[in-house]
Amino acid sequence: MRFLPAIALLLSATASLHAATPTSADPASAQRVRADVEFLASDNLEGRDTGSKGYQIAADYVASQFRAIGLEPAGEEGGWFQNVPFRRASFETPPRMTLNIGGKTVALEQAKDAGIRPSVTAKSRNLTAGFVFVGYGLKDARNGFDDYRGLNLKGKIAVALAGTPKGLPSEIEAHLNASKDRMAAEAGAVGFVEIGEGGRYNSVRRYSRPLIDWVDTDGRAGSTPAGIVVQLGLSKEIAERLFEGAPRSLASVQAEAKRDGKPGPRGFALRPVLTVQAESKWEDFTSPEVVGMLKGSDPALAAEHVVLMGHLDHLGIKPDAKPGEDAIYNGALDNAAGVATMLEAARLFAAQPVRPKRSVLFIANTGEERGLLGADYYASHPTVPARSIVGLVDLDMPLLLYPFTDVTAFGADHSTVGAIVAQAGASMGISVSPDPMPEEAIFTRSDHYQFVRRGVPAVLLMTGHANGGKDIWNSWLSKIYHSPQDDLTQRIDWDAGARYALLNYRIAREMADGPARPMWLQGDYFGDLFDPKGPRAPAKAAR
Ligand SMILES: [Zn+2]
């Protein structure tokens, strides 16, 4: 609260530059953010799990707010919703897996020796296939990686070391880690195994769990690249045995990977052969993206769309709660706060005397906590022409617990969005800081990445580490994040919510009004990869 008078002063000082811009000094804005968070995070919505009634009530609420704000429905068939077709796949009986090693057949137990992932695209799977070790399993010309060179993967299962060679920028590293099964599929593989050393790479347990994914009417799914039949994790012991009779042992290639850095060990064919018989059980359900539009005012630019979005879903109800224990994952900051600030940004847009030049789409996403699924589905099945989406702002988990004075803008450095964020921040006395936790790979772990993958310059803002933010973030991530304690008993700073909404409004407004659409910077890795033919801005001028 001490901070706010300074901001109000700053805003009035720049008022001539932003004559039509609302200021955060309006206490009603903070109260509107509060009202939305209090509804969306209430116990009655039972944690807004994807596909649940609580989520649907939240979606109905967002649609009501969209109508009250004056947006137009922009979902399917003239309505507010795009119903995402979800499928939950699990095993009724454990899959049967055997490994033939040197003429001997070894039975593999699911979730112990190996973990095969249930499939949302193939109900029964009968497969016999050999393995090929592919080093880190990377194909990426820009970084000089070609681990599939000279290897024949046709009908084989690719076996990759987890991770990437050291020294890559964290965002590229995270992107490559998330793309390995697709790279294996492109090389002709029918399966993919990643061998890690515990922790996040413990895919034996992870892959044995039920899988939720979208599956469209063409049978395409978000999690499974076309051609990949099995995604598999192996225990340390079985992973070692896979290399029996091979030119080198697993320990030897792992040691080389640790020692030598780029580009990692060369691949070679392995001798064992895997046989799999697996029957997946499917449960289908739908859960909506909620989509509203504010039509642009410029006759030519109104056909282009800027997207403002935030995920509405959270984790539902804790299944193993003890009697009397708080079991509801309210997700007050993750991400009722993001949706509430998106709604407030929509109100700020609607309250302006002049509409933005480009059209603005507002989307509340489903399935984020299940793997960025709703945004992925929308990005691959947009309700407006895909190429008309020219820029995007994602509002995910703003930590509204302190008067933040800086933000981290994930994705901003790659496009002209960086300059837009810096300018909007400066107009409010908010600075832009570098990523304080690159190891978390937030860039690829948030919904906006699903649009980046389709070539859209996009940004996610996180409240920053300055002004006490660091300690608050660290303590919140270790104690509250994804627990039932992310609820309304937290001391939420509603003024911070109003300022976060205003900042995101200003960024989206600049994207919507700028003479040029947001553009990737010349030579940017992600721009060149995902939108090779799109327009470019000079790298220097944009900074
Ligand atoms: Zn979350």
Side-chain angles (χ1 to χ4, degrees):
M1 290 297 280
R2 222 167 354 110
F3 183 72
L4 273 174
I7 283 297
L9 250 176
L10 223 149
L11 284 168
S12 61
T14 56
S16 58
L17 292 172
H18 299 276
T21 307
T23 74
S24 63
D26 178 6
S29 182
Q31 287 307 307
R32 289 190 294 265
V33 170
R34 179 175 188 167
D36 289 335
V37 171
E38 285 179 346
F39 182 86
L40 294 172
S42 95
D43 277 356
N44 290 323
L45 268 57
E46 299 186 332
R48 307 184 306 278
D49 195 5
T50 302
S52 71
K53 189 170 179 190
Y55 178 88
Q56 187 59 51
I57 294 169
D60 290 345
Y61 177 80
V62 170
S64 286
Q65 291 299 318
F66 278 175
R67 192 182 297 284
I69 289 165
L71 305 184
E72 294 170 27
E76 291 165 339
E77 295 167 9
W80 296 104
F81 296 148
Q82 177 188 52
N83 283 306
V84 180
F86 284 107
R87 176 166 292 161
R88 183 181 189 274
S90 59
F91 293 119
E92 208 147 29
T93 53
R96 282 194 291 181
M97 292 178 279
T98 57
L99 201 57
N100 190 299
I101 306 178
K104 284 197 202 111
T105 298
V106 183
L108 303 182
E109 189 183 323
Q110 170 79 344
K112 182 171 168 276
D113 304 313
I116 181 173
R117 209 178 196 192
S119 174
V120 292
T121 51
K123 202 160 199 173
S124 19
R125 290 175 287 173
N126 286 289
L127 178 82
T128 296
F131 296 87
V132 177
F133 173 63
V134 296
Y136 281 114
L138 298 173
K139 188 169 167 69
D140 180 27
R142 276 169 205 84
N143 283 296
F145 300 136
D146 192 2
D147 290 336
Y148 288 93
R149 178 169 39 110
L151 298 175
N152 181 4
L153 268 292
K154 203 158 169 48
K156 305 284 190 194
I157 299 169
V159 179
L161 296 177
T164 62
K166 287 188 181 48
L168 292 171
S170 66
E171 293 180 343
I172 293 178
E173 183 187 321
H175 156 71
L176 292 173
N177 271 320
S179 309
K180 286 186 180 186
D181 52 358
R182 191 179 43 73
M183 292 171 182
E186 281 165 9
V190 295
F192 180 73
V193 178
E194 196 169 38
I195 298 178
E197 293 170 56
R200 64 197 275 202
Y201 296 116
N202 188 352
S203 41
V204 172
R205 281 219 321 269
R206 188 158 49 92
Y207 281 178
S208 299
R209 293 199 282 258
L211 170 67
I212 295 176
D213 196 5
W214 60 260
V215 183
D216 70 11
T217 45
D218 299 329
R220 286 186 304 157
S223 63
T224 317
I228 292 287
V229 183
V230 291
Q231 289 155 308
L232 201 70
L234 298 174
S235 71
K236 188 165 181 288
E237 190 206 332
I238 298 297
E240 279 165 2
R241 295 203 63 186
L242 221 50
F243 286 72
E244 279 181 20
R248 298 176 65 186
S249 69
L250 174 59
S252 151
V253 292
Q254 281 178 328
E256 183 194 331
K258 277 211 179 92
R259 195 178 56 232
D260 290 349
K262 276 188 177 186
R266 297 280 306 145
F268 44 83
L270 300 171
R271 314 232 357 211
V273 172
L274 178 79
T275 298
V276 172
Q277 280 179 289
E279 294 282 332
S280 294
K281 187 178 93 173
W282 288 348
E283 295 155 66
D284 291 349
F285 60 96
T286 63
S287 179
E289 297 275 288
V290 194
V291 194
M293 186 196 295
L294 187 69
K295 259 259 180 293
S297 60
D298 184 283
L301 296 180
E304 295 183 345
H305 296 86
V306 168
V307 176
L308 213 60
M309 69 182 195
H311 79 86
L312 181 61
D313 69 302
H314 195 51
L315 299 165
I317 298 174
K318 197 175 176 183
D320 53 356
K322 297 172 193 76
E325 186 189 339
D326 181 3
I328 297 173
Y329 292 107
N330 303 78
L333 296 175
D334 183 13
N335 183 38
V339 173
T341 46
M342 173 185 73
L343 288 170
E344 183 58 12
R347 291 184 195 106
L348 296 174
F349 266 107
Q352 300 311 304
V354 182
R355 286 189 164 211
K357 292 188 171 126
R358 294 182 178 79
S359 298
V360 183
L361 275 183
F362 299 88
I363 309 177
N365 308 107
T366 186
E368 192 272 351
E369 304 286 10
R370 304 292 168 198
L372 317 184
L373 298 177
D376 187 33
Y377 185 81
Y378 187 89
S380 55
H381 306 78
T383 56
V384 297
R387 299 297 303 175
S388 77
I389 300 177
V390 297
L392 178 141
V393 182
D394 185 24
L395 298 91
D396 190 0
M397 217 168 79
L399 210 58
L400 307 178
L401 297 171
Y402 61 104
F404 67 94
T405 57
D406 70 325
V407 290
T408 302
F410 298 92
D413 293 349
H414 304 291
S415 67
T416 54
V417 176
I420 294 173
V421 171
Q423 193 189 351
S427 77
M428 297 176 60
I430 295 167
S431 58
V432 181
S433 302
D435 186 351
M437 32 191 172
E439 68 286 355
E440 295 290 332
I442 305 239
F443 181 64
T444 63
R445 277 178 59 194
S446 183
D447 279 338
H448 79 297
Y449 180 68
Q450 303 294 18
F451 287 79
V452 167
R453 291 205 295 135
R454 275 89 179 182
V456 180
V459 69
L460 160 70
L461 295 194
M462 248 182 196
T463 47
H465 273 194
N467 202 30
K470 184 176 182 186
D471 288 345
I472 289 169
W473 265 107
N474 287 341
S475 135
W476 192 85
L477 285 175
S478 64
K479 293 187 194 128
I480 309 290
Y481 174 72
H482 281 197
S483 83
Q485 281 69 57
D486 178 11
D487 62 16
L488 293 164
T489 63
Q490 298 172 101
R491 291 180 55 175
I492 298 176
D493 180 339
W494 303 110
D495 293 311
R499 290 171 60 243
Y500 184 77
L502 178 62
L503 176 61
N504 283 285
Y505 159 75
R506 285 190 174 179
I507 293 165
R509 179 92 206 191
E510 184 58 35
M511 283 186 183
D513 281 346
R517 50 163 287 188
M519 281 183 269
W520 296 101
L521 300 186
Q522 229 146 41
D524 180 73
Y525 176 86
F526 292 100
D528 289 352
L529 186 63
F530 295 129
D531 187 23
K533 292 187 183 134
R536 289 294 187 276
K540 260 201 196 125
R543 278 166 201 275

